[in-house]
Each structure stands twice: as structure tokens, then as C-alpha cells.
């Protein structure tokens, strides 16, 4: 018996299960991030989006109902990997000044993945004629974009507060070499100018031949 041909509806359902698992895992990761964050504003962003994610899970369950399927989660390898990376980064940077920056990077990796997935699901819902599902997915998509922007704002604020800290310094000797190179260049230019200013000496007029006696 030939295997049933896969359709866009099948892809939509499988991706929906993937995102359902990802959202649940993402909610747990946001809880860890909120606890680890040092910056009060960053901690607030994590806590706020964690509450938002709970509503996003409810929306996904509504989408399952709309398409007539049971709400089931399928392990999302991408989100699993991102979550494991966050755990490793917390172990490596948790007690350093870079901790919040690293947390923001991990959180934005989560947001970017979810933005991509929700954008795809929204597009597919429209193609499949699931108008109500398209609306629900669109609402979540906008929330994910907003969360990503908020994280970027915190990152930019922290970077500005740090000022020029972390700028790459020139190695010993590089500045001296630059000065020497500039000096040589200026010397060459001066020589060229001097050559240009020199005018060829006028030849002395030839003496007239002595008059014949």
C-alpha cells in the first residue's frame, strides 16, 4: 500500500506541535533567565514575556481546536539546543559582568526562532483558509517581535552605559610605527616639493665673436 502523500495541512500540524513544545520550553527558560538577570529592567522584560508566553500557549491550543486536532507537543530540537546553550552560558558567565549581555543573546535566539516559526504558520494558515488561526498566530507574532525589540533596547542601553569600555587597544609599537610612517611620507612630500620649486639655471649668453679688425 502506497504511503499517503504529505500535504501543507500535514506540515502545518507538525510545525504547530513543534512550536507548542518550543513555547513550553521557552517559558521555562525565561523563568531561569529572569532569576539570573542582574539588570532590573532586563529581569522585568523576562518576567513580562514569561507571562505573555503562557497566553501564547493558550492561543496555540485554540489553533489546534480550529483545525480539529488534539493539542500535542513534539520535541523541537532547535529550541532544545538553544535552551541547552543558555544553560551552558549561565554556567560560564553567570558570575561575570557579561552575564546579562549573554542572557540577552540567548533570549534573542529564542525570539528569532519563534518569529520565524510563527511567521510561517501564519502564512500557511492563510493559504489553508484558517482565518481565525491566522489572526491568533499573527497576534503572537507581533508579541514576539515586540519582545525582541525590548531586549535590543536593554542591550543598547547597557552598551551606551559602558561607554568606550572594551575598545581594542593598539599593541605596543604600533603607534610609534604609524608616527614613523607618517614622518617618512611627509619627508617624501617635502622632497618632491623642493624639487618642483627648483628652476633650471639660465645658461650664460654666448659671447659675441670678436669683431674683425
Amino acid at each position: 500500500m502506497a504511503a499517503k502523500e504529505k500535504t501543507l495541512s500535514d506540515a502545518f500540524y507538525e510545525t504547530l506541535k513543534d512550536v507548542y513544545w518550543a513555547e513550553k520550553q521557552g517559558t521555562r527558560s525565561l523563568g531561569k533567565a529572569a532569576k539570573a538577570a542582574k539588570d532590573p529592567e532586563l529581569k522585568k522584560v523576562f518576567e513580562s514575556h514569561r507571562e505573555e508566553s503562557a497566553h501564547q500557549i493558550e492561543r496555540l491550543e485554540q489553533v489546534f481546536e480550529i483545525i480539529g486536532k488534539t493539542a500535542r507537543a513534539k520535541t523541537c530540537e532547535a529550541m532544545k539546543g538553544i535552551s541547552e546553550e543558555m544553560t551552558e552560558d549561565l554556567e560560564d558567565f553567570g558570575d561575570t559582568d557579561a552575564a546579562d549581555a549573554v542572557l540577552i543573546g540567548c533570549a534573542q535566539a529564542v525570539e528569532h526562532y519563534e518569529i520565524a516559526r510563527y511567521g510561517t504558520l501564519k502564512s500557511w494558515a492563510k493559504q489553508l483558509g484558517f482565518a481565525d488561526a491566522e489572526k491568533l498566530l499573527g497576534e503572537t507574532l507581533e508579541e514576539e517581535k515586540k519582545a525582541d525589540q525590548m531586549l535590543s533596547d536593554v542591550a543598547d542601553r547597557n552598551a551606551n552605559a559602558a561607554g568606550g569600555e572594551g575598545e581594542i587597544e593598539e599593541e605596543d609599537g604600533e603607534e610609534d610605527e604609524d608616527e614613523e610612517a607618517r614622518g617618512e611620507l611627509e619627508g617624501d612630500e617635502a622632497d618632491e616639493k623642493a624639487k618642483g620649486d627648483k628652476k633650471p639655471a639660465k645658461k650664460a649668453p654666448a659671447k659675441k665673436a670678436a669683431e674683425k679688425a
Side-chain angles (χ1 to χ4, degrees):
M1 183 177 178
K4 179 184 176 183
E5 183 179 352
K6 296 290 185 179
T7 66
L8 183 60
S9 294
D10 295 321
F12 183 84
Y13 181 47
E14 292 302 315
T15 304
L16 196 61
K17 291 191 293 183
D18 181 283
V19 174
Y20 189 47
W21 190 95
E23 276 293 359
K24 291 185 174 183
Q25 179 61 41
T27 301
R28 288 190 286 271
S29 295
L30 283 168
K32 292 181 181 179
K35 186 177 180 180
K38 298 177 181 179
D39 184 281
E41 186 176 343
L42 179 59
K43 188 181 293 288
K44 184 178 179 181
V45 171
F46 285 142
E47 292 173 343
S48 174
H49 192 50
R50 184 168 182 252
E51 294 177 4
E52 205 168 49
S53 294
H55 295 300
Q56 293 173 351
I57 290 173
E58 292 175 358
R59 286 199 196 105
L60 287 173
E61 291 170 348
Q62 292 179 49
V63 174
F64 278 112
E65 291 181 9
I66 290 171
I67 66 174
K69 299 286 187 179
T70 302
R72 292 178 179 172
K74 180 181 72 173
T75 301
C76 173
E77 296 299 334
M79 184 61 74
K80 183 179 178 181
I82 294 173
S83 297
E84 290 174 351
E85 184 176 319
M86 177 182 285
T87 299
E88 292 176 3
D89 285 346
L90 283 174
E91 292 176 356
D92 292 340
F93 296 93
D95 296 325
T96 71
D97 293 336
D100 281 354
V102 170
L103 276 175
I104 291 173
C106 291
Q108 288 195 294
V110 171
E111 295 307 317
H112 293 176
Y113 175 77
E114 292 180 340
I115 287 170
R117 281 309 197 189
Y118 278 113
T120 295
L121 285 171
K122 181 176 179 289
S123 176
W124 287 353
K126 182 176 182 179
Q127 293 179 55
L128 294 168
F130 297 129
D132 291 339
E134 179 189 356
K135 180 181 178 182
L136 291 169
L137 294 165
E139 290 174 5
T140 296
L141 177 60
E142 292 307 311
E143 289 175 353
E144 301 294 6
K145 290 179 179 179
K146 182 180 177 181
D148 180 54
Q149 184 58 56
M150 290 173 70
L151 289 168
S152 291
D153 291 342
V154 174
D156 290 343
R157 178 176 62 76
N158 288 346
N160 291 333
E165 187 176 338
E167 291 183 353
I168 299 176
E169 298 181 357
E170 289 185 345
E171 293 184 4
D172 294 340
E174 284 188 358
E175 187 174 348
D176 293 339
E177 290 177 3
D178 290 342
E179 290 293 338
E180 184 180 347
R182 281 195 290 272
E184 290 178 357
L185 181 60
E186 290 172 358
D188 291 342
E189 291 177 347
D191 290 343
E192 289 296 326
K193 184 177 180 182
K195 290 178 182 178
D197 289 341
K198 289 181 179 179
K199 295 180 180 179
K202 293 182 179 179
K203 293 182 179 179
K207 292 182 179 181
K208 295 182 179 179
E211 294 182 357
K212 291 182 179 180

